[in-house]
Amino acid sequence: MSYTAPLKDMLFDIQHLAGIEQIAQLPGFEEAGLETAQAVLEECAKFNEGVVAPLNVDGDRNPSTWKDGQVTTTPGFKDAYRKYSEGGWQGLQHPQEFGGQGLPKAIGAACCEMLNSANLSFALCPLLTDGAIEALLTAGSDALKSVYLEKLVTGEWTGTMNLTEPQAGSDLALVRTRAEPQPDGTYKVSGTKIFITYGEHDMVDNIVHLVLARIPGAPEGVKGISLFVVPKFLVNADGTMGARNDVQCVSIEHKLGIKASPTAVLQFGDHGGAIGYLVGEENRGLEYMFIMMNAARFAVGMQGIAISERAYQKAVAYARDRVQSRPVDGSGNGPAPIIVHPDVRRMLMTMRAITEGCRAMASVAAAAYDAAHNHPDAAARKQNQAFYEFLVPLVKGYSTETSLDVTSLGVQVHGGMGFIEETGAAQYYRDARILTIYEGTTAIQANDLVGRKTMRDGGQTAQAIAAQIEKTEGELSKRGSADAKAVAKRLGAARKAFLDAVSFVAQQAKSAPNAVFAGSVPYLMLAGNLVAGWQLARSLLVAEDLLAKGEEADFMRAKIVTARFYADHVLTRAPALRDSVVEGADSVNALALEAF
Amino acid sequence: MSYTAPLKDMLFDIQHLAGIEQIAQLPGFEEAGLETAQAVLEECAKFNEGVVAPLNVDGDRNPSTWKDGQVTTTPGFKDAYRKYSEGGWQGLQHPQEFGGQGLPKAIGAACCEMLNSANLSFALCPLLTDGAIEALLTAGSDALKSVYLEKLVTGEWTGTMNLTEPQAGSDLALVRTRAEPQPDGTYKVSGTKIFITYGEHDMVDNIVHLVLARIPGAPEGVKGISLFVVPKFLVNADGTMGARNDVQCVSIEHKLGIKASPTAVLQFGDHGGAIGYLVGEENRGLEYMFIMMNAARFAVGMQGIAISERAYQKAVAYARDRVQSRPVDGSGNGPAPIIVHPDVRRMLMTMRAITEGCRAMASVAAAAYDAAHNHPDAAARKQNQAFYEFLVPLVKGYSTETSLDVTSLGVQVHGGMGFIEETGAAQYYRDARILTIYEGTTAIQANDLVGRKTMRDGGQTAQAIAAQIEKTEGELSKRGSADAKAVAKRLGAARKAFLDAVSFVAQQAKSAPNAVFAGSVPYLMLAGNLVAGWQLARSLLVAEDLLAKGEEADFMRAKIVTARFYADHVLTRAPALRDSVVEGADSVNALALEAF
């Protein structure tokens, strides 16, 4: 088996950290208790382990290819996608009225992780479809919804997000694609979009492009961007497929990783204009796009966790198998499996602790999302929404930045074999490298964290999280164990470092923006590090309790060790990050531009 | 120009940190003063910028290919290698009696960096030849020297190092290749060697393989390994080329990076035995191999610096060119080149500071090597040798580990374009990934640092270095500038962290080897971080002095800012590394093996 879903870990988080039984008390989630979670996850594991994971290497070796505007995906992808669609996996979290299952995100996030662990390239297609669904659910007219939503939710068609243009990457103010209003209420869209994931492919009959464009006369900058649906094939009034729309895939990119996922250059309107349908109101495209992006950002964070998990599993398997050198403590006479060597253990523990920490963080974020949407109490919804929104850039930024380290360690554990492509460890290293870039680079996530999530409320949400962490420290300190005490100490130091950084950011952001944004990414990394460490600390408390009850002793001991490792080797990085934020801005901004 | 040698930075280090004028006072280096350094470096820059660097991308796109035992290198490589050889670059540091120029390593190291910045794959061939030269100089008989040395020093032939076998990677005790003594004093060598860099290629007429093998009846383990010269073509008594030897390249690897460098599987003795010549004495192969490896390890450290420099240059060029988003401080109305954005500056400064810090460290290490070999005073030689030997694992380990971060940041600065192979940033990221693995993984470097370099002398060399650092702190504290004071503070904190780690390692290594080796890599990273930061602190002192004299104000200011940045953003990581070493071992070793 090339991938085994970490069901026990996932269910531990869903039960004890995300609190699935509380989620199941929210209106709309009555069926979504632990038993459902377990049943869904088991089925999901079976599907991904058996159908999707085996195609991962194939996708790297036989990437999608382009010919005369057509994209042919890796052999096997089309069939796997059909099974994905038939299994109802696309609709897991989407409303039942459009053919979905309406499950909470706390369950959906774990399924998202599995799909991405199995095959990052494959998983991108559903990930983008999810974004299109979110946008239509939020802002689409009833007419648009009725034509497109069910087809997307069932996975019969797929969706894309068309933001980037050659001159407009992170800066959407520079978008130039035009949308000319037509007498019949449609628009003629023309322009070039690049980096369009699954912008063209052969797995389904129709592709629903969500496209940012400007209507003539619209305000300059981001306030003049509108969102359009531009289907590959027009849809007739009776729901049957109509004419081919004027959107062409002119090429796909030759990339470092995720090679099976076609990254298209799309040309809209070269032959008279592609017919597009306005989503929501004119000039509110950026706002709607953010809804799609917030969903997509969380999902990309899950990709970071997913690729880390897969890299960890491969490294562990190799470390058990590879025999080299005697144990340093003289405990054996001959060469031993390298997993006994302390530095290999250190690398594996680092991979493991970061992966589990990020998963735990994402799991509680998902639970907050569920409460933010379904809680009957408005104040609780608001509080959960603020917590979730604070965590999205951490899930995206921290889980993906650390995935670069984790997949790199995965290569390192393999030694020279790691550098040979046939081994497979290098693929994870290459695939992961996009994660800190797309759906907003880490700097963009950090801008969001600084601006919308910290500055705007004067640091209140951040401080509220710190207060919760302090409570966890209190619980840890009451425990008798050395592990709990050690974790409490590290958590406290990291929390104080975080609070310093929060104060600095909240107080200086307006008066000294260059200083604050010089430390925005270290601030994000500090916050992510802390929140992940906090969730592992919570898992230690749970594990100690269950261990005392005699439940699954080996598993619980591993949870405790992992939390302790994270505290001693990862949380300890917090003060240096604090220094970068609070005391490091001068040297970031001091060098004359000509001197670089 | 795709690469511009950082001559000013290199000469600053050579003059002010390595102290080239003192080196020129050592017997044998009388001609090697600053003027010589400048002339050699300028010529070297011209050659590498003009001839070698332009082939770097070609090498990645059209790697070496294998057919029927022959390896064809990338078009252009053969011609460039001929120019390299004709220019006398292979012999730069080697003795004049064998056709070299006998220049100090302080100059050679800079030339090594340039060649590797220009083209890591190309540079590997000379790097391995250097290793073969070192081994023959140290242990070869006069007969072997007379046949092979001049051919290698002039670059007419190239050399290889044959250590690894499928079952013996880091663990040379597992070497199985056999060498049967023959009546004529030669040996018949048979076995399989893997990962042999430039083990076969078309750039020269003959390849001199240095091969580790066992003579029947030799002791088990590393004490029974001998070193042999096994030429691709035998050499007749009159120096003309003789018969083809029984060594065949059966395949080359498909790798993540350095694709132009053929990584060969060599089969020795499938047709009766390859004729080999013993180097030095029987069963002392490991000792000789270590001589080659120490040279090669330093050179791989230079590769880390070299690829970091190249990635930095590319990122700066892109950041100047790419226009996206308004300045966060409201200083402009329209989108600006991204180099003005604080997070881009932070990334570029990180790349720059680490690269300069590692270069400065390597430069003083090279100077110590020169003094260790040529100083007339035995005590000075010994002291310099100890310093150099302590620094080799840092130059190798720290410069290469950080090169992974630096080349990754290089991709990140490019945003989505960084993930597209045509951009070129991804090549550096892929190429760099081997550097922490070959010539001894970082863990192997760390074992060396812990065992031979710290434990063996009870931490004395480490403490002596710390004492020198404390002196530098004293000088910094006397300065009036805020920069000097800030650097003094960070350097002091890092030094104290280091001393804690040294005590722990020196005291516990024998009694608690698992605990010490659990922190060996963090210990190496701490030491490397500190020494690099120390050298930048020294460069700040020099730059302040020269600035006061009105010399090259812009350049000196940049030196000061870079040292300050390193102190505030990189040296600050030292305490966390100390915690991993001193307090982190338990959680590294606690997890049950079955629980991974």
Side-chain angles (χ1 to χ4, degrees):
Chain A
M1 188 81 75
S2 67
Y3 166 65
T4 307
L7 287 177
K8 254 190 190 177
D9 287 303
M10 289 171 161
L11 286 165
F12 179 94
D13 290 354
I14 289 173
Q15 182 178 4
H16 301 294
L17 304 181
I20 192 69
E21 294 299 358
Q22 287 93 302
I23 293 172
Q25 285 167 21
L26 301 175
F29 292 145
E30 293 83 355
E31 309 292 316
L34 184 61
E35 263 183 56
T36 300
Q38 188 152 358
V40 171
L41 263 58
E42 279 170 9
E43 202 56 40
C44 188
K46 201 156 67 177
F47 172 71
N48 285 302
E49 291 168 358
V51 175
V52 185
L55 294 169
N56 191 47
V57 168
D58 298 342
D60 195 54
R61 295 193 190 154
N62 304 303
S64 288
T65 52
W66 179 95
K67 200 183 167 196
D68 300 333
Q70 311 286 318
V71 171
T72 307
T73 52
T74 302
F77 268 44
K78 187 171 177 171
D79 185 53
Y81 184 81
R82 189 181 46 77
K83 290 176 182 153
Y84 177 83
S85 168
E86 286 171 3
W89 295 110
Q90 186 73 54
L92 209 65
Q93 278 180 246
H94 298 301
Q96 292 176 335
E97 64 169 305
F98 296 108
Q101 299 184 49
L103 287 172
K105 197 176 188 81
I107 295 175
C111 295
C112 174
E113 182 191 323
M114 287 188 226
L115 182 67
N116 278 288
S117 280
N119 196 324
L120 215 59
S121 285
F122 181 88
L124 276 164
C125 190
L127 190 158
L128 272 297
T129 302
D130 276 338
I133 292 168
E134 291 287 339
L136 288 173
L137 278 173
T138 309
S141 64
D142 288 344
L144 280 181
K145 283 181 183 169
S146 77
V147 176
Y148 295 102
L149 261 180
E150 191 165 330
K151 295 284 192 186
L152 290 169
V153 170
T154 57
E156 196 176 331
W157 296 347
T158 65
T160 69
M161 286 167 66
N162 289 244
L163 288 75
T164 307
E165 300 179 6
Q167 78 295 345
S170 300
D171 187 0
L172 295 173
L174 303 177
V175 160
R176 281 189 207 140
T177 295
R178 287 166 60 88
E180 301 262 3
Q182 304 299 304
D184 65 354
T186 65
Y187 292 76
K188 289 245 167 147
V189 176
S190 56
T192 305
K193 293 286 184 180
I194 64 168
F195 296 163
I196 309 309
T197 300
Y198 280 93
E200 177 58 37
H201 65 92
D202 60 355
M203 303 196 299
V204 294
D205 296 332
N206 204 5
I207 302 173
V208 183
H209 302 295
L210 275 283
V211 183
L212 286 187
R214 285 183 190 288
I215 297 168
E220 294 225 338
V222 293
K223 288 175 184 161
I225 300 174
S226 303
L227 183 64
F228 299 88
V229 163
V230 183
K232 177 178 170 183
F233 285 95
L234 300 173
V235 184
N236 298 322
D238 61 358
T240 58
M241 214 87 114
R244 182 71 163 79
N245 208 349
D246 183 10
V247 48
Q248 303 299 331
C249 174
V250 294
S251 64
I252 61 174
E253 306 290 354
H254 172 221
K255 307 190 300 295
L256 172 62
I258 52 164
K259 294 187 181 187
S261 161
T263 303
V265 177
L266 293 184
Q267 194 68 34
F268 292 87
D270 265 9
H271 307 281
I275 294 171
Y277 309 94
L278 182 67
V279 178
E281 295 174 24
E282 285 186 8
N283 301 330
R284 290 181 64 185
L286 194 78
E287 179 188 330
Y288 307 145
M289 191 55 80
F290 258 105
I291 294 160
M292 299 170 57
M293 284 213 294
N294 268 327
R297 285 173 175 185
F298 183 89
V300 173
M302 295 312 304
Q303 293 195 302
I305 297 161
I307 194 90
S308 294
E309 172 66 31
R310 182 109 191 227
Y312 170 74
Q313 290 190 15
K314 190 170 188 69
V316 168
Y318 185 81
R320 284 195 204 289
D321 193 51
R322 175 73 169 170
V323 172
Q324 290 277 287
S325 304
R326 296 180 186 192
V328 289
D329 62 2
S331 63
N333 278 321
I338 63 171
I339 199 168
V340 310
H341 299 317
D343 188 65
V344 173
R345 297 182 72 120
R346 183 191 61 82
M347 291 194 279
L348 294 175
M349 284 303 301
T350 306
M351 299 172 77
R352 176 190 180 95
I354 288 174
T355 307
E356 287 197 19
C358 289
R359 179 185 296 125
M361 172 165 71
S363 194
V364 296
Y369 175 94
D370 293 327
H373 283 74
N374 287 35
H375 204 287
D377 177 53
R381 283 201 302 277
K382 195 179 161 194
Q383 193 185 357
N384 277 287
Q385 182 67 21
F387 180 72
Y388 176 70
E389 287 190 357
F390 192 88
L391 259 60
V392 168
L394 311 189
V395 170
K396 203 295 187 176
Y398 185 70
S399 306
T400 62
E401 286 286 340
T402 52
S403 79
L404 304 185
D405 299 332
V406 171
T407 55
S408 181
L409 286 172
V411 172
Q412 190 72 16
V413 169
H414 286 78
M417 292 306 298
F419 200 66
I420 307 299
E421 285 288 4
E422 282 75 4
T423 306
Q427 186 190 344
Y428 307 142
Y429 183 65
R430 290 187 285 99
D431 283 354
R433 195 61 196 81
I434 191 60
L435 302 179
T436 60
I437 297 172
Y438 65 17
E439 297 303 335
T441 63
T442 307
I444 299 284
Q445 308 303 321
N447 286 356
D448 179 50
L449 184 70
V450 164
R452 290 185 203 86
K453 313 294 168 68
T454 304
M455 217 176 82
R456 194 174 284 175
D457 75 356
Q460 274 185 28
T461 303
Q463 283 152 357
I465 292 172
Q468 287 187 63
I469 293 172
E470 200 173 357
K471 274 191 199 160
T472 303
E473 290 164 36
E475 291 175 56
L476 289 162
S477 301
K478 277 184 231 153
R479 298 291 170 105
S481 73
D483 289 321
K485 285 196 197 322
V487 172
K489 178 179 114 178
R490 305 291 186 194
L491 196 58
R495 174 179 52 80
K496 282 169 199 147
F498 173 67
L499 282 171
D500 276 3
V502 170
S503 297
F504 179 81
V505 167
Q507 285 163 22
Q508 309 275 329
K510 279 201 178 153
S511 57
N514 282 330
V516 167
F517 286 100
S520 59
V521 168
Y523 173 54
L524 179 150
M525 294 301 287
L526 169 54
N529 187 331
L530 173 65
V531 173
W534 170 36
Q535 293 310 320
L536 289 185
R538 287 184 63 210
S539 78
L540 178 146
L541 290 169
V542 173
E544 283 195 348
D545 288 343
L546 294 175
L547 189 61
K549 289 185 196 160
E551 277 185 39
E552 303 240 41
D554 293 342
F555 179 79
M556 297 306 161
R557 277 194 206 100
K559 281 279 167 221
I560 294 166
V561 171
T562 303
R564 173 77 186 265
F565 181 92
Y566 190 97
D568 283 347
H569 296 266
V570 185
L571 266 178
T572 44
R573 299 173 192 166
L577 293 164
R578 174 245 171 240
D579 290 345
S580 282
V581 177
V582 178
E583 299 173 21
D586 286 354
S587 56
V588 171
N589 293 318
L591 198 71
L593 284 185
E594 314 78 62
F596 274 99
Chain B
M1 188 82 74
S2 68
Y3 166 65
T4 306
L7 288 178
K8 256 190 189 177
D9 286 305
M10 288 172 162
L11 286 165
F12 178 93
D13 290 354
I14 289 174
Q15 182 178 3
H16 300 295
L17 304 181
I20 192 71
E21 294 298 357
Q22 285 94 302
I23 293 172
Q25 285 167 20
L26 301 175
F29 291 145
E30 293 84 355
E31 308 293 315
L34 184 60
E35 264 182 55
T36 301
Q38 189 153 356
V40 171
L41 262 60
E42 280 170 6
E43 203 56 39
C44 188
K46 204 157 65 177
F47 172 72
N48 284 302
E49 291 168 359
V51 175
V52 185
L55 294 169
N56 190 48
V57 168
D58 298 341
D60 194 54
R61 294 192 191 155
N62 304 303
S64 288
T65 52
W66 178 96
K67 199 183 169 196
D68 300 333
Q70 311 287 317
V71 171
T72 306
T73 52
T74 302
F77 268 44
K78 188 172 176 171
D79 185 54
Y81 183 81
R82 188 179 48 74
K83 289 176 182 153
Y84 177 83
S85 167
E86 286 171 4
W89 295 109
Q90 186 72 52
L92 211 65
Q93 278 181 245
H94 298 302
Q96 291 177 335
E97 62 169 308
F98 296 108
Q101 298 184 50
L103 287 172
K105 198 177 187 81
I107 295 174
C111 295
C112 174
E113 182 191 323
M114 286 189 226
L115 182 67
N116 278 289
S117 279
N119 197 322
L120 215 58
S121 285
F122 181 86
L124 276 164
C125 189
L127 191 157
L128 272 297
T129 301
D130 277 338
I133 292 168
E134 290 287 342
L136 288 173
L137 278 174
T138 308
S141 63
D142 288 344
L144 280 180
K145 283 182 181 167
S146 77
V147 175
Y148 294 102
L149 262 180
E150 191 165 330
K151 296 284 191 186
L152 290 169
V153 170
T154 57
E156 196 176 329
W157 296 347
T158 65
T160 70
M161 286 167 65
N162 288 246
L163 289 73
T164 307
E165 301 179 6
Q167 79 295 346
S170 300
D171 187 0
L172 295 174
L174 302 178
V175 160
R176 282 192 208 138
T177 295
R178 288 167 59 90
E180 300 262 4
Q182 304 300 304
D184 65 354
T186 66
Y187 292 76
K188 289 247 168 147
V189 176
S190 56
T192 304
K193 292 287 182 178
I194 63 167
F195 295 164
I196 309 309
T197 300
Y198 280 93
E200 177 58 37
H201 66 90
D202 60 355
M203 303 197 298
V204 293
D205 296 333
N206 204 4
I207 301 173
V208 182
H209 302 295
L210 276 283
V211 183
L212 285 187
R214 282 182 193 288
I215 297 169
E220 294 225 338
V222 292
K223 288 175 184 164
I225 300 174
S226 304
L227 182 64
F228 299 87
V229 163
V230 183
K232 176 178 170 185
F233 285 95
L234 300 174
V235 183
N236 297 322
D238 62 357
T240 58
M241 213 89 113
R244 181 73 162 77
N245 208 349
D246 184 10
V247 46
Q248 304 298 333
C249 174
V250 295
S251 65
I252 61 174
E253 306 289 353
H254 172 222
K255 307 190 301 292
L256 172 62
I258 52 164
K259 295 187 182 186
S261 161
T263 303
V265 177
L266 293 185
Q267 195 68 35
F268 292 87
D270 265 9
H271 307 283
I275 294 172
Y277 309 95
L278 182 67
V279 178
E281 295 173 25
E282 286 187 6
N283 301 330
R284 291 181 63 185
L286 195 77
E287 180 188 324
Y288 307 144
M289 192 56 79
F290 258 105
I291 294 161
M292 300 170 57
M293 283 214 295
N294 268 328
R297 284 173 176 185
F298 183 89
V300 173
M302 295 312 303
Q303 293 195 302
I305 298 162
I307 194 88
S308 294
E309 172 66 31
R310 182 109 190 227
Y312 169 73
Q313 290 190 15
K314 190 169 187 70
V316 168
Y318 186 81
R320 286 195 202 289
D321 193 51
R322 175 73 168 170
V323 173
Q324 290 279 286
S325 303
R326 296 180 186 193
V328 289
D329 63 2
S331 62
N333 278 322
I338 63 171
I339 198 169
V340 311
H341 299 319
D343 188 64
V344 174
R345 298 183 71 120
R346 183 191 60 81
M347 291 193 278
L348 295 176
M349 284 303 300
T350 305
M351 298 172 78
R352 176 190 180 94
I354 287 174
T355 307
E356 288 197 19
C358 289
R359 178 185 296 126
M361 172 165 71
S363 195
V364 298
Y369 176 92
D370 293 327
H373 283 75
N374 287 38
H375 203 288
D377 178 52
R381 284 200 301 277
K382 194 180 163 194
Q383 194 186 356
N384 277 288
Q385 182 67 21
F387 181 72
Y388 176 71
E389 287 189 357
F390 192 87
L391 258 60
V392 168
L394 311 189
V395 170
K396 202 300 187 173
Y398 185 68
S399 306
T400 62
E401 286 288 339
T402 52
S403 79
L404 304 185
D405 299 331
V406 171
T407 54
S408 181
L409 286 170
V411 172
Q412 190 72 16
V413 169
H414 286 79
M417 291 307 297
F419 200 66
I420 307 300
E421 285 288 4
E422 282 76 4
T423 306
Q427 186 190 343
Y428 308 143
Y429 184 65
R430 290 187 285 98
D431 283 354
R433 194 62 196 80
I434 190 59
L435 302 180
T436 60
I437 297 172
Y438 65 18
E439 299 301 336
T441 63
T442 307
I444 299 285
Q445 308 303 320
N447 286 357
D448 179 49
L449 185 70
V450 163
R452 289 184 204 87
K453 312 295 168 68
T454 304
M455 217 176 82
R456 194 174 285 176
D457 74 356
Q460 275 185 26
T461 303
Q463 282 153 357
I465 292 171
Q468 286 188 63
I469 293 172
E470 200 173 358
K471 276 191 196 160
T472 303
E473 290 164 36
E475 292 175 55
L476 290 161
S477 300
K478 279 184 231 152
R479 299 291 170 106
S481 74
D483 289 319
K485 285 196 197 321
V487 172
K489 177 179 116 179
R490 304 292 186 195
L491 196 58
R495 175 179 51 82
K496 282 169 199 146
F498 174 65
L499 282 171
D500 277 2
V502 170
S503 298
F504 180 80
V505 167
Q507 285 162 23
Q508 310 274 330
K510 279 198 178 154
S511 57
N514 282 330
V516 167
F517 286 99
S520 59
V521 168
Y523 173 55
L524 180 150
M525 293 302 286
L526 170 53
N529 187 332
L530 173 64
V531 173
W534 171 36
Q535 294 309 320
L536 289 185
R538 287 184 62 210
S539 78
L540 178 146
L541 291 169
V542 173
E544 284 196 346
D545 288 342
L546 294 175
L547 189 61
K549 289 185 194 161
E551 279 184 40
E552 303 239 42
D554 293 343
F555 179 78
M556 297 307 161
R557 276 195 207 100
K559 281 279 167 221
I560 293 166
V561 170
T562 304
R564 173 76 187 266
F565 181 93
Y566 189 97
D568 283 349
H569 295 266
V570 186
L571 266 178
T572 43
R573 299 173 193 167
L577 292 164
R578 175 243 170 242
D579 290 345
S580 282
V581 176
V582 178
E583 299 172 21
D586 285 354
S587 56
V588 172
N589 294 318
L591 198 71
L593 285 185
E594 315 77 63
F596 275 99

